[in-house]
Amino acid sequence: MRPDTPADHITEAERLLRTAAQYPEDHEPLFLQAAAHLELAGERARASTLYDELLGSPDTTIDHPHLVKALKAANLWEYGHEAEARAIIDGIRSAGPLDAAPWEIAAETLEAHDELEAAHDFFSTALTLLLAPGEEVPYATQSLLTGRHRVRRLMGVAHDAWDELADTLHTAAVPLDELHDPKRLWSLGSSDPGELQAEINRLRAELGTYRSALSRPFPVAVLHWPEDELRELLTAYPELAQEYLSHQDHLARLEAALRDLHATGTPNLGIVTGTVPSYEAFAASEAASPSDPDLLPQYATTLAARGRAVPWPPARSAACWCGSGRPYRECHGAG
């Protein structure tokens, strides 16, 4: 059962924190999930403490510091710390992170507090940084286009090329222009059955889009082994050699599998990187043998659920997912 009451959310947050203590390598995504539940429970100060713990720990390096800062800013603004939240948001803009999530959270925070010009500027700056002309829009970046479209409708400005791209990527039955129409709320006070039915249809379409996103809260992920880890894995568990002919073959098959999934229309694809100690711990938790090849996709799914997936495809100018250090367009994206 999903948490519903504040007490349920606190219970779930505490469960996640216990899990984080058990799996310290996954403490960052588990802390973020726990903080989200604390916010929903109204325990915003306690949620801020978790964000501070992630950002201030001298013993660990977090993978997504700008995301943590954006979430902290959004939370702070909600319980009266506007000046600090603004300072954090300004810092995110100056840092220019190369992933969409912190930009989106910061922009939506500004939008939620009627800072439409600033929100529009944040969305636009992020898209300029993350989206190359003519490049296929990554899954994570599509929400920036949608958010910018929504803000521009609220501002009453005319469509531009990015708005048209957002319209093209939108797959729900009701167009974005209708979903983002600032006059929609007026129809809720109408006594015209036709207007009310139209609003019901729009809300159903919007709900369907949200449900579709929630049905896949983490990416469809494939499992990547760095060369040293794969060597160690096969030395310890030679039974898995039939799954991995060579490291180069492993990398080529990953890219091919992702492209096949993408070609079938599967959204939200990602790559998780395995380590032998983590895999052995997972096998022990499942009371299974690490030499069982059926355990590998379960391990990948578990890593993705813990927030360990890196979205695929990366921007063509970004570093390749394989760890070669070369741009994706010159490495596995060259095909």
Side-chain angles (χ1 to χ4, degrees):
M1 180 181 295
R2 290 180 178 175
D4 188 37
T5 67
D8 291 336
H9 284 294
I10 291 173
T11 299
E12 180 63 12
E14 291 171 346
R15 184 192 70 79
L16 289 163
L17 292 174
R18 289 194 299 272
T19 304
Q22 185 178 2
Y23 299 100
E25 71 276 12
D26 294 329
H27 79 289
E28 181 180 340
L30 292 169
F31 263 47
L32 293 183
Q33 292 176 50
H37 281 288
L38 291 173
E39 290 186 32
L40 290 169
E43 297 283 342
R44 293 193 173 274
R46 190 177 170 194
S48 285
T49 299
L50 292 185
Y51 296 134
D52 288 338
E53 189 171 339
L54 281 173
L55 293 168
S57 174
D59 301 324
T60 57
T61 301
I62 60 175
D63 296 326
H64 306 287
H66 299 297
L67 172 61
V68 178
K69 289 176 183 178
L71 290 167
K72 178 183 175 181
N75 181 54
L76 285 169
W77 203 325
E78 289 299 322
Y79 73 109
H81 297 271
E82 178 183 339
E84 186 177 354
R86 285 183 182 276
I88 294 171
I89 289 172
D90 289 343
I92 292 170
R93 180 190 173 95
S94 298
L98 296 179
D99 53 319
W103 289 101
E104 181 179 6
I105 292 165
E108 289 184 346
T109 299
L110 292 164
E111 178 189 355
H113 294 278
D114 295 323
E115 302 276 351
L116 296 184
E117 292 282 353
H120 177 267
D121 180 62
F122 240 81
F123 279 125
S124 299
T125 301
L127 288 166
T128 301
L129 182 67
L130 300 177
L131 193 59
E135 182 179 52
E136 182 176 356
V137 182
Y139 182 84
T141 308
Q142 292 180 18
S143 56
L144 293 175
L145 286 166
T146 302
R148 183 177 180 275
H149 184 288
R150 181 180 60 248
V151 168
R152 287 172 65 82
R153 286 288 278 141
L154 290 170
M155 294 170 65
V157 297
H159 269 31
D160 63 6
W162 275 338
D163 289 325
E164 292 170 2
L165 181 57
D167 288 332
T168 301
L169 294 171
H170 180 69
T171 58
V174 179
L176 277 183
D177 275 351
E178 286 192 45
L179 290 178
H180 295 164
D181 185 352
K183 297 180 181 179
R184 279 178 60 192
L185 292 178
W186 297 357
S187 66
L188 297 179
S190 172
S191 59
D192 184 335
E195 289 185 359
L196 291 173
Q197 185 60 53
E199 179 59 19
I200 289 170
N201 292 339
R202 286 191 290 264
L203 290 171
R204 282 176 174 165
E206 196 167 13
L207 181 60
T209 301
Y210 288 142
R211 281 177 172 166
S212 177
L214 289 171
S215 69
R216 186 172 291 129
F218 47 84
V220 174
V222 297
L223 179 59
H224 164 232
W225 294 99
E227 188 169 9
D228 290 347
E229 293 290 340
L230 183 61
R231 187 183 304 113
E232 182 180 344
L233 178 76
L234 296 182
T235 299
Y237 309 104
E239 300 89 344
L240 295 177
Q242 59 185 341
E243 302 293 320
Y244 304 107
L245 302 180
S246 69
H247 188 250
Q248 286 304 114
D249 177 73
H250 167 55
L251 298 182
R253 289 170 65 184
L254 284 193
E255 180 73 19
L258 288 162
R259 292 190 182 200
D260 287 345
L261 288 167
H262 181 67
T264 63
T266 304
N268 202 13
L269 298 171
I271 297 173
V272 291
T273 298
T275 66
V276 174
S278 170
Y279 178 60
E280 289 174 335
F282 173 73
S285 71
E286 295 292 311
S289 169
S291 62
D292 182 358
D294 292 338
L295 201 63
L296 295 167
Q298 298 176 43
Y299 175 54
T301 299
T302 299
L303 290 178
R306 292 178 186 165
R308 308 303 295 180
V310 175
W312 181 94
R316 295 185 64 79
S317 58
C320 188
W321 56 265
C322 72
S324 67
R326 298 163 58 198
Y328 177 65
R329 67 169 175 266
E330 298 175 6
C331 194
H332 284 90

